[in-house]
Amino acid sequence: MWTTKLKIGGMTCPSCADGIEKKLNALEGVEIKVSYPEGIGILAVTGETRLESLLEHIVQKGYQVKEVDNKKAESDECSVSTRCC
């Protein structure tokens, strides 16, 4: 099992976060919790699923995504602008 924090850009409402969760949580051995206000997702994976393939699922839904270095995360959060519907 492995976990990682993702920065997800392009979400404009809570339904965007719900759509990402539904898409990835439907995959076997994958669990993600997405926070729309923070623009982050916490991903937990059991098994052999590769991070790159999961990121591609998010990109295919029209969002920008990258893995966040937890040591940098606090400084990155300050520079992110909030988007609104």
PDB file of all heavy atoms in Angstrom, residues 46-82:
ATOM      1  N   THR A  46      -3.717   0.186  -2.871  1.00  0.00           N
ATOM      2  CA  THR A  46      -3.211  -1.137  -2.530  1.00  0.00           C
ATOM      3  C   THR A  46      -2.991  -1.865  -3.844  1.00  0.00           C
ATOM      4  O   THR A  46      -3.733  -1.666  -4.797  1.00  0.00           O
ATOM      5  CB  THR A  46      -4.214  -1.927  -1.662  1.00  0.00           C
ATOM      6  OG1 THR A  46      -5.456  -2.017  -2.346  1.00  0.00           O
ATOM      7  CG2 THR A  46      -4.426  -1.261  -0.325  1.00  0.00           C
ATOM      8  N   GLY A  47      -1.983  -2.657  -3.908  1.00  0.00           N
ATOM      9  CA  GLY A  47      -1.714  -3.403  -5.131  1.00  0.00           C
ATOM     10  C   GLY A  47      -0.679  -2.728  -6.003  1.00  0.00           C
ATOM     11  O   GLY A  47       0.120  -1.917  -5.552  1.00  0.00           O
ATOM     12  N   GLU A  48      -0.746  -3.065  -7.293  1.00  0.00           N
ATOM     13  CA  GLU A  48       0.295  -2.679  -8.246  1.00  0.00           C
ATOM     14  C   GLU A  48      -0.047  -1.468  -9.114  1.00  0.00           C
ATOM     15  O   GLU A  48       0.666  -1.179 -10.055  1.00  0.00           O
ATOM     16  CB  GLU A  48       0.587  -3.874  -9.175  1.00  0.00           C
ATOM     17  CG  GLU A  48       1.063  -5.111  -8.442  1.00  0.00           C
ATOM     18  CD  GLU A  48       2.412  -4.910  -7.781  1.00  0.00           C
ATOM     19  OE1 GLU A  48       3.294  -4.271  -8.387  1.00  0.00           O
ATOM     20  OE2 GLU A  48       2.566  -5.388  -6.640  1.00  0.00           O
ATOM     21  N   THR A  49      -1.136  -0.777  -8.832  1.00  0.00           N
ATOM     22  CA  THR A  49      -1.541   0.356  -9.661  1.00  0.00           C
ATOM     23  C   THR A  49      -0.477   1.439  -9.634  1.00  0.00           C
ATOM     24  O   THR A  49       0.016   1.826  -8.577  1.00  0.00           O
ATOM     25  CB  THR A  49      -2.881   0.933  -9.174  1.00  0.00           C
ATOM     26  OG1 THR A  49      -3.844  -0.111  -9.144  1.00  0.00           O
ATOM     27  CG2 THR A  49      -3.364   2.038 -10.091  1.00  0.00           C
ATOM     28  N   ARG A  50      -0.129   1.941 -10.826  1.00  0.00           N
ATOM     29  CA  ARG A  50       0.905   2.978 -10.937  1.00  0.00           C
ATOM     30  C   ARG A  50       0.299   4.367 -10.814  1.00  0.00           C
ATOM     31  O   ARG A  50      -0.788   4.637 -11.310  1.00  0.00           O
ATOM     32  CB  ARG A  50       1.614   2.853 -12.279  1.00  0.00           C
ATOM     33  CG  ARG A  50       2.419   1.595 -12.414  1.00  0.00           C
ATOM     34  CD  ARG A  50       3.102   1.489 -13.738  1.00  0.00           C
ATOM     35  NE  ARG A  50       3.036   2.773 -14.456  1.00  0.00           N
ATOM     36  CZ  ARG A  50       3.622   3.017 -15.600  1.00  0.00           C
ATOM     37  NH1 ARG A  50       4.295   2.085 -16.195  1.00  0.00           N
ATOM     38  NH2 ARG A  50       3.523   4.185 -16.182  1.00  0.00           N
ATOM     39  N   LEU A  51       1.035   5.254 -10.181  1.00  0.00           N
ATOM     40  CA  LEU A  51       0.593   6.628  -9.998  1.00  0.00           C
ATOM     41  C   LEU A  51       0.301   7.295 -11.334  1.00  0.00           C
ATOM     42  O   LEU A  51      -0.712   7.985 -11.484  1.00  0.00           O
ATOM     43  CB  LEU A  51       1.642   7.433  -9.226  1.00  0.00           C
ATOM     44  CG  LEU A  51       1.344   8.918  -9.048  1.00  0.00           C
ATOM     45  CD1 LEU A  51       0.057   9.118  -8.251  1.00  0.00           C
ATOM     46  CD2 LEU A  51       2.512   9.621  -8.385  1.00  0.00           C
ATOM     47  N   GLU A  52       1.151   7.084 -12.329  1.00  0.00           N
ATOM     48  CA  GLU A  52       0.981   7.732 -13.631  1.00  0.00           C
ATOM     49  C   GLU A  52      -0.370   7.406 -14.260  1.00  0.00           C
ATOM     50  O   GLU A  52      -1.010   8.274 -14.846  1.00  0.00           O
ATOM     51  CB  GLU A  52       2.111   7.341 -14.582  1.00  0.00           C
ATOM     52  CG  GLU A  52       3.473   7.856 -14.170  1.00  0.00           C
ATOM     53  CD  GLU A  52       4.130   7.035 -13.057  1.00  0.00           C
ATOM     54  OE1 GLU A  52       3.701   5.878 -12.807  1.00  0.00           O
ATOM     55  OE2 GLU A  52       5.061   7.551 -12.428  1.00  0.00           O
ATOM     56  N   SER A  53      -0.828   6.168 -14.132  1.00  0.00           N
ATOM     57  CA  SER A  53      -2.113   5.802 -14.728  1.00  0.00           C
ATOM     58  C   SER A  53      -3.266   6.470 -13.992  1.00  0.00           C
ATOM     59  O   SER A  53      -4.257   6.874 -14.609  1.00  0.00           O
ATOM     60  CB  SER A  53      -2.298   4.283 -14.772  1.00  0.00           C
ATOM     61  OG  SER A  53      -2.418   3.751 -13.471  1.00  0.00           O
ATOM     62  N   LEU A  54      -3.146   6.640 -12.685  1.00  0.00           N
ATOM     63  CA  LEU A  54      -4.195   7.320 -11.927  1.00  0.00           C
ATOM     64  C   LEU A  54      -4.227   8.813 -12.237  1.00  0.00           C
ATOM     65  O   LEU A  54      -5.306   9.401 -12.365  1.00  0.00           O
ATOM     66  CB  LEU A  54      -3.987   7.080 -10.430  1.00  0.00           C
ATOM     67  CG  LEU A  54      -4.090   5.614 -10.002  1.00  0.00           C
ATOM     68  CD1 LEU A  54      -3.719   5.466  -8.539  1.00  0.00           C
ATOM     69  CD2 LEU A  54      -5.462   5.048 -10.278  1.00  0.00           C
ATOM     70  N   LEU A  55      -3.061   9.414 -12.386  1.00  0.00           N
ATOM     71  CA  LEU A  55      -3.014  10.826 -12.768  1.00  0.00           C
ATOM     72  C   LEU A  55      -3.660  11.025 -14.134  1.00  0.00           C
ATOM     73  O   LEU A  55      -4.362  12.018 -14.357  1.00  0.00           O
ATOM     74  CB  LEU A  55      -1.572  11.334 -12.772  1.00  0.00           C
ATOM     75  CG  LEU A  55      -0.826  11.313 -11.441  1.00  0.00           C
ATOM     76  CD1 LEU A  55       0.576  11.886 -11.621  1.00  0.00           C
ATOM     77  CD2 LEU A  55      -1.573  12.042 -10.352  1.00  0.00           C
ATOM     78  N   GLU A  56      -3.444  10.087 -15.032  1.00  0.00           N
ATOM     79  CA  GLU A  56      -4.028  10.181 -16.378  1.00  0.00           C
ATOM     80  C   GLU A  56      -5.560  10.164 -16.317  1.00  0.00           C
ATOM     81  O   GLU A  56      -6.215  10.878 -17.071  1.00  0.00           O
ATOM     82  CB  GLU A  56      -3.504   9.053 -17.267  1.00  0.00           C
ATOM     83  CG  GLU A  56      -3.956   9.151 -18.701  1.00  0.00           C
ATOM     84  CD  GLU A  56      -3.549  10.438 -19.404  1.00  0.00           C
ATOM     85  OE1 GLU A  56      -2.492  11.009 -19.085  1.00  0.00           O
ATOM     86  OE2 GLU A  56      -4.311  10.889 -20.295  1.00  0.00           O
ATOM     87  N   HIS A  57      -6.132   9.386 -15.411  1.00  0.00           N
ATOM     88  CA  HIS A  57      -7.596   9.382 -15.244  1.00  0.00           C
ATOM     89  C   HIS A  57      -8.095  10.779 -14.876  1.00  0.00           C
ATOM     90  O   HIS A  57      -9.137  11.223 -15.374  1.00  0.00           O
ATOM     91  CB  HIS A  57      -8.020   8.396 -14.148  1.00  0.00           C
ATOM     92  CG  HIS A  57      -8.021   6.966 -14.558  1.00  0.00           C
ATOM     93  ND1 HIS A  57      -8.963   6.422 -15.389  1.00  0.00           N
ATOM     94  CD2 HIS A  57      -7.184   5.959 -14.234  1.00  0.00           C
ATOM     95  CE1 HIS A  57      -8.723   5.132 -15.567  1.00  0.00           C
ATOM     96  NE2 HIS A  57      -7.633   4.830 -14.880  1.00  0.00           N
ATOM     97  N   ILE A  58      -7.373  11.462 -14.016  1.00  0.00           N
ATOM     98  CA  ILE A  58      -7.772  12.811 -13.596  1.00  0.00           C
ATOM     99  C   ILE A  58      -7.610  13.797 -14.743  1.00  0.00           C
ATOM    100  O   ILE A  58      -8.494  14.626 -14.996  1.00  0.00           O
ATOM    101  CB  ILE A  58      -6.965  13.244 -12.355  1.00  0.00           C
ATOM    102  CG1 ILE A  58      -7.277  12.311 -11.178  1.00  0.00           C
ATOM    103  CG2 ILE A  58      -7.253  14.697 -11.993  1.00  0.00           C
ATOM    104  CD1 ILE A  58      -6.389  12.499  -9.970  1.00  0.00           C
ATOM    105  N   VAL A  59      -6.515  13.702 -15.477  1.00  0.00           N
ATOM    106  CA  VAL A  59      -6.272  14.583 -16.631  1.00  0.00           C
ATOM    107  C   VAL A  59      -7.357  14.378 -17.695  1.00  0.00           C
ATOM    108  O   VAL A  59      -7.840  15.349 -18.294  1.00  0.00           O
ATOM    109  CB  VAL A  59      -4.862  14.343 -17.204  1.00  0.00           C
ATOM    110  CG1 VAL A  59      -4.672  15.050 -18.530  1.00  0.00           C
ATOM    111  CG2 VAL A  59      -3.798  14.796 -16.207  1.00  0.00           C
ATOM    112  N   GLN A  60      -7.763  13.137 -17.918  1.00  0.00           N
ATOM    113  CA  GLN A  60      -8.807  12.858 -18.906  1.00  0.00           C
ATOM    114  C   GLN A  60     -10.132  13.508 -18.540  1.00  0.00           C
ATOM    115  O   GLN A  60     -10.946  13.786 -19.410  1.00  0.00           O
ATOM    116  CB  GLN A  60      -8.993  11.348 -19.071  1.00  0.00           C
ATOM    117  CG  GLN A  60      -7.871  10.686 -19.819  1.00  0.00           C
ATOM    118  CD  GLN A  60      -7.995   9.172 -19.847  1.00  0.00           C
ATOM    119  OE1 GLN A  60      -8.886   8.573 -19.243  1.00  0.00           O
ATOM    120  NE2 GLN A  60      -7.076   8.536 -20.555  1.00  0.00           N
ATOM    121  N   LYS A  61     -10.360  13.768 -17.262  1.00  0.00           N
ATOM    122  CA  LYS A  61     -11.574  14.463 -16.833  1.00  0.00           C
ATOM    123  C   LYS A  61     -11.439  15.983 -16.996  1.00  0.00           C
ATOM    124  O   LYS A  61     -12.394  16.723 -16.739  1.00  0.00           O
ATOM    125  CB  LYS A  61     -11.917  14.117 -15.389  1.00  0.00           C
ATOM    126  CG  LYS A  61     -12.404  12.677 -15.241  1.00  0.00           C
ATOM    127  CD  LYS A  61     -13.002  12.375 -13.899  1.00  0.00           C
ATOM    128  CE  LYS A  61     -14.279  13.083 -13.580  1.00  0.00           C
ATOM    129  NZ  LYS A  61     -15.458  12.777 -14.377  1.00  0.00           N
ATOM    130  N   GLY A  62     -10.261  16.468 -17.411  1.00  0.00           N
ATOM    131  CA  GLY A  62     -10.087  17.883 -17.705  1.00  0.00           C
ATOM    132  C   GLY A  62      -9.392  18.702 -16.626  1.00  0.00           C
ATOM    133  O   GLY A  62      -9.446  19.936 -16.661  1.00  0.00           O
ATOM    134  N   TYR A  63      -8.729  18.054 -15.684  1.00  0.00           N
ATOM    135  CA  TYR A  63      -8.068  18.763 -14.595  1.00  0.00           C
ATOM    136  C   TYR A  63      -6.558  18.660 -14.719  1.00  0.00           C
ATOM    137  O   TYR A  63      -6.036  17.761 -15.365  1.00  0.00           O
ATOM    138  CB  TYR A  63      -8.516  18.192 -13.237  1.00  0.00           C
ATOM    139  CG  TYR A  63     -10.009  18.195 -13.085  1.00  0.00           C
ATOM    140  CD1 TYR A  63     -10.735  17.025 -13.192  1.00  0.00           C
ATOM    141  CD2 TYR A  63     -10.713  19.377 -12.881  1.00  0.00           C
ATOM    142  CE1 TYR A  63     -12.123  17.016 -13.090  1.00  0.00           C
ATOM    143  CE2 TYR A  63     -12.091  19.388 -12.780  1.00  0.00           C
ATOM    144  CZ  TYR A  63     -12.788  18.207 -12.880  1.00  0.00           C
ATOM    145  OH  TYR A  63     -14.152  18.214 -12.791  1.00  0.00           O
ATOM    146  N   GLN A  64      -5.861  19.574 -14.048  1.00  0.00           N
ATOM    147  CA  GLN A  64      -4.413  19.509 -13.949  1.00  0.00           C
ATOM    148  C   GLN A  64      -4.097  18.843 -12.615  1.00  0.00           C
ATOM    149  O   GLN A  64      -4.768  19.123 -11.622  1.00  0.00           O
ATOM    150  CB  GLN A  64      -3.772  20.904 -13.978  1.00  0.00           C
ATOM    151  CG  GLN A  64      -4.109  21.729 -15.194  1.00  0.00           C
ATOM    152  CD  GLN A  64      -5.430  22.441 -15.067  1.00  0.00           C
ATOM    153  OE1 GLN A  64      -5.765  22.982 -14.032  1.00  0.00           O
ATOM    154  NE2 GLN A  64      -6.209  22.435 -16.127  1.00  0.00           N
ATOM    155  N   VAL A  65      -3.103  17.988 -12.615  1.00  0.00           N
ATOM    156  CA  VAL A  65      -2.780  17.277 -11.375  1.00  0.00           C
ATOM    157  C   VAL A  65      -1.282  17.028 -11.287  1.00  0.00           C
ATOM    158  O   VAL A  65      -0.620  16.812 -12.310  1.00  0.00           O
ATOM    159  CB  VAL A  65      -3.569  15.949 -11.271  1.00  0.00           C
ATOM    160  CG1 VAL A  65      -3.221  15.006 -12.394  1.00  0.00           C
ATOM    161  CG2 VAL A  65      -3.377  15.296  -9.922  1.00  0.00           C
ATOM    162  N   LYS A  66      -0.765  17.111 -10.068  1.00  0.00           N
ATOM    163  CA  LYS A  66       0.633  16.759  -9.827  1.00  0.00           C
ATOM    164  C   LYS A  66       0.751  16.246  -8.400  1.00  0.00           C
ATOM    165  O   LYS A  66      -0.038  16.595  -7.518  1.00  0.00           O
ATOM    166  CB  LYS A  66       1.569  17.939 -10.055  1.00  0.00           C
ATOM    167  CG  LYS A  66       1.408  19.074  -9.077  1.00  0.00           C
ATOM    168  CD  LYS A  66       2.395  20.181  -9.354  1.00  0.00           C
ATOM    169  CE  LYS A  66       2.211  21.308  -8.337  1.00  0.00           C
ATOM    170  NZ  LYS A  66       3.186  22.353  -8.501  1.00  0.00           N
ATOM    171  N   GLU A  67       1.755  15.420  -8.194  1.00  0.00           N
ATOM    172  CA  GLU A  67       2.040  14.929  -6.859  1.00  0.00           C
ATOM    173  C   GLU A  67       2.700  16.060  -6.078  1.00  0.00           C
ATOM    174  O   GLU A  67       3.531  16.793  -6.613  1.00  0.00           O
ATOM    175  CB  GLU A  67       2.960  13.710  -6.942  1.00  0.00           C
ATOM    176  CG  GLU A  67       3.176  13.027  -5.622  1.00  0.00           C
ATOM    177  CD  GLU A  67       3.971  11.743  -5.762  1.00  0.00           C
ATOM    178  OE1 GLU A  67       4.642  11.543  -6.788  1.00  0.00           O
ATOM    179  OE2 GLU A  67       3.926  10.949  -4.817  1.00  0.00           O
ATOM    180  N   VAL A  68       2.327  16.205  -4.810  1.00  0.00           N
ATOM    181  CA  VAL A  68       2.857  17.274  -3.974  1.00  0.00           C
ATOM    182  C   VAL A  68       3.902  16.700  -3.039  1.00  0.00           C
ATOM    183  O   VAL A  68       3.670  15.700  -2.370  1.00  0.00           O
ATOM    184  CB  VAL A  68       1.725  17.921  -3.143  1.00  0.00           C
ATOM    185  CG1 VAL A  68       2.283  18.967  -2.197  1.00  0.00           C
ATOM    186  CG2 VAL A  68       0.681  18.520  -4.045  1.00  0.00           C
ATOM    187  N   ASP A  69       5.039  17.365  -2.983  1.00  0.00           N
ATOM    188  CA  ASP A  69       6.064  17.042  -1.995  1.00  0.00           C
ATOM    189  C   ASP A  69       5.554  17.582  -0.668  1.00  0.00           C
ATOM    190  O   ASP A  69       5.395  18.791  -0.504  1.00  0.00           O
ATOM    191  CB  ASP A  69       7.391  17.700  -2.393  1.00  0.00           C
ATOM    192  CG  ASP A  69       8.488  17.494  -1.372  1.00  0.00           C
ATOM    193  OD1 ASP A  69       8.247  16.841  -0.328  1.00  0.00           O
ATOM    194  OD2 ASP A  69       9.607  17.974  -1.618  1.00  0.00           O
ATOM    195  N   ASN A  70       5.272  16.696   0.278  1.00  0.00           N
ATOM    196  CA  ASN A  70       4.678  17.126   1.545  1.00  0.00           C
ATOM    197  C   ASN A  70       5.501  18.169   2.276  1.00  0.00           C
ATOM    198  O   ASN A  70       4.967  18.975   3.015  1.00  0.00           O
ATOM    199  CB  ASN A  70       4.434  15.913   2.447  1.00  0.00           C
ATOM    200  CG  ASN A  70       3.280  15.082   1.954  1.00  0.00           C
ATOM    201  OD1 ASN A  70       2.338  15.598   1.359  1.00  0.00           O
ATOM    202  ND2 ASN A  70       3.344  13.790   2.182  1.00  0.00           N
ATOM    203  N   LYS A  71       6.795  18.207   2.074  1.00  0.00           N
ATOM    204  CA  LYS A  71       7.625  19.211   2.735  1.00  0.00           C
ATOM    205  C   LYS A  71       7.431  20.584   2.122  1.00  0.00           C
ATOM    206  O   LYS A  71       7.606  21.589   2.774  1.00  0.00           O
ATOM    207  CB  LYS A  71       9.099  18.805   2.675  1.00  0.00           C
ATOM    208  CG  LYS A  71       9.377  17.573   3.502  1.00  0.00           C
ATOM    209  CD  LYS A  71      10.811  17.166   3.417  1.00  0.00           C
ATOM    210  CE  LYS A  71      11.028  15.880   4.212  1.00  0.00           C
ATOM    211  NZ  LYS A  71      12.346  15.332   4.062  1.00  0.00           N
ATOM    212  N   LYS A  72       7.060  20.634   0.825  1.00  0.00           N
ATOM    213  CA  LYS A  72       6.810  21.906   0.139  1.00  0.00           C
ATOM    214  C   LYS A  72       5.353  22.304   0.205  1.00  0.00           C
ATOM    215  O   LYS A  72       4.996  23.413  -0.128  1.00  0.00           O
ATOM    216  CB  LYS A  72       7.162  21.796  -1.346  1.00  0.00           C
ATOM    217  CG  LYS A  72       8.580  21.786  -1.684  1.00  0.00           C
ATOM    218  CD  LYS A  72       8.821  21.763  -3.175  1.00  0.00           C
ATOM    219  CE  LYS A  72       7.741  22.322  -4.038  1.00  0.00           C
ATOM    220  NZ  LYS A  72       8.049  22.357  -5.455  1.00  0.00           N
ATOM    221  N   ALA A  73       4.472  21.400   0.574  1.00  0.00           N
ATOM    222  CA  ALA A  73       3.033  21.601   0.435  1.00  0.00           C
ATOM    223  C   ALA A  73       2.547  22.884   1.092  1.00  0.00           C
ATOM    224  O   ALA A  73       1.723  23.593   0.524  1.00  0.00           O
ATOM    225  CB  ALA A  73       2.268  20.406   1.005  1.00  0.00           C
ATOM    226  N   GLU A  74       3.050  23.201   2.278  1.00  0.00           N
ATOM    227  CA  GLU A  74       2.565  24.382   2.964  1.00  0.00           C
ATOM    228  C   GLU A  74       2.869  25.654   2.188  1.00  0.00           C
ATOM    229  O   GLU A  74       2.021  26.511   2.056  1.00  0.00           O
ATOM    230  CB  GLU A  74       3.170  24.451   4.358  1.00  0.00           C
ATOM    231  CG  GLU A  74       2.627  23.368   5.275  1.00  0.00           C
ATOM    232  CD  GLU A  74       3.239  23.426   6.649  1.00  0.00           C
ATOM    233  OE1 GLU A  74       3.868  24.451   6.982  1.00  0.00           O
ATOM    234  OE2 GLU A  74       3.084  22.448   7.391  1.00  0.00           O
ATOM    235  N   SER A  75       4.046  25.792   1.602  1.00  0.00           N
ATOM    236  CA  SER A  75       4.379  26.995   0.848  1.00  0.00           C
ATOM    237  C   SER A  75       3.625  27.026  -0.477  1.00  0.00           C
ATOM    238  O   SER A  75       3.238  28.086  -0.934  1.00  0.00           O
ATOM    239  CB  SER A  75       5.880  27.098   0.608  1.00  0.00           C
ATOM    240  OG  SER A  75       6.331  26.028  -0.184  1.00  0.00           O
ATOM    241  N   ASP A  76       3.367  25.869  -1.100  1.00  0.00           N
ATOM    242  CA  ASP A  76       2.614  25.822  -2.357  1.00  0.00           C
ATOM    243  C   ASP A  76       1.171  26.273  -2.159  1.00  0.00           C
ATOM    244  O   ASP A  76       0.599  26.936  -3.006  1.00  0.00           O
ATOM    245  CB  ASP A  76       2.603  24.404  -2.945  1.00  0.00           C
ATOM    246  CG  ASP A  76       3.930  24.013  -3.547  1.00  0.00           C
ATOM    247  OD1 ASP A  76       4.778  24.903  -3.696  1.00  0.00           O
ATOM    248  OD2 ASP A  76       4.099  22.834  -3.857  1.00  0.00           O
ATOM    249  N   GLU A  77       0.564  25.917  -1.041  1.00  0.00           N
ATOM    250  CA  GLU A  77      -0.840  26.255  -0.805  1.00  0.00           C
ATOM    251  C   GLU A  77      -1.061  27.755  -0.753  1.00  0.00           C
ATOM    252  O   GLU A  77      -2.102  28.236  -1.165  1.00  0.00           O
ATOM    253  CB  GLU A  77      -1.321  25.600   0.487  1.00  0.00           C
ATOM    254  CG  GLU A  77      -1.464  24.096   0.350  1.00  0.00           C
ATOM    255  CD  GLU A  77      -1.815  23.418   1.663  1.00  0.00           C
ATOM    256  OE1 GLU A  77      -2.208  24.126   2.616  1.00  0.00           O
ATOM    257  OE2 GLU A  77      -1.692  22.191   1.724  1.00  0.00           O
ATOM    258  N   CYS A  78      -0.078  28.504  -0.322  1.00  0.00           N
ATOM    259  CA  CYS A  78      -0.246  29.944  -0.199  1.00  0.00           C
ATOM    260  C   CYS A  78      -0.332  30.636  -1.556  1.00  0.00           C
ATOM    261  O   CYS A  78      -0.940  31.682  -1.681  1.00  0.00           O
ATOM    262  CB  CYS A  78       0.919  30.553   0.580  1.00  0.00           C
ATOM    263  SG  CYS A  78       0.983  29.987   2.285  1.00  0.00           S
ATOM    264  N   SER A  79       0.261  30.054  -2.584  1.00  0.00           N
ATOM    265  CA  SER A  79       0.319  30.716  -3.889  1.00  0.00           C
ATOM    266  C   SER A  79      -0.815  30.309  -4.820  1.00  0.00           C
ATOM    267  O   SER A  79      -0.887  30.768  -5.939  1.00  0.00           O
ATOM    268  CB  SER A  79       1.659  30.420  -4.560  1.00  0.00           C
ATOM    269  OG  SER A  79       1.749  29.042  -4.838  1.00  0.00           O
ATOM    270  N   VAL A  80      -1.731  29.471  -4.350  1.00  0.00           N
ATOM    271  CA  VAL A  80      -2.798  28.974  -5.213  1.00  0.00           C
ATOM    272  C   VAL A  80      -3.988  29.913  -5.124  1.00  0.00           C
ATOM    273  O   VAL A  80      -4.445  30.228  -4.039  1.00  0.00           O
ATOM    274  CB  VAL A  80      -3.226  27.546  -4.776  1.00  0.00           C
ATOM    275  CG1 VAL A  80      -4.399  27.071  -5.597  1.00  0.00           C
ATOM    276  CG2 VAL A  80      -2.052  26.598  -4.917  1.00  0.00           C
ATOM    277  N   SER A  81      -4.485  30.344  -6.283  1.00  0.00           N
ATOM    278  CA  SER A  81      -5.658  31.205  -6.274  1.00  0.00           C
ATOM    279  C   SER A  81      -6.910  30.356  -6.260  1.00  0.00           C
ATOM    280  O   SER A  81      -6.971  29.295  -6.854  1.00  0.00           O
ATOM    281  CB  SER A  81      -5.664  32.113  -7.502  1.00  0.00           C
ATOM    282  OG  SER A  81      -5.757  31.336  -8.665  1.00  0.00           O
ATOM    283  N   THR A  82      -7.940  30.824  -5.560  1.00  0.00           N
ATOM    284  CA  THR A  82      -9.196  30.096  -5.465  1.00  0.00           C
ATOM    285  C   THR A  82     -10.057  30.434  -6.675  1.00  0.00           C
ATOM    286  O   THR A  82     -10.177  31.595  -7.056  1.00  0.00           O
ATOM    287  CB  THR A  82      -9.938  30.500  -4.169  1.00  0.00           C
ATOM    288  OG1 THR A  82      -9.068  30.280  -3.077  1.00  0.00           O
ATOM    289  CG2 THR A  82     -11.196  29.695  -4.002  1.00  0.00           C
TER     290      THR A  82
END
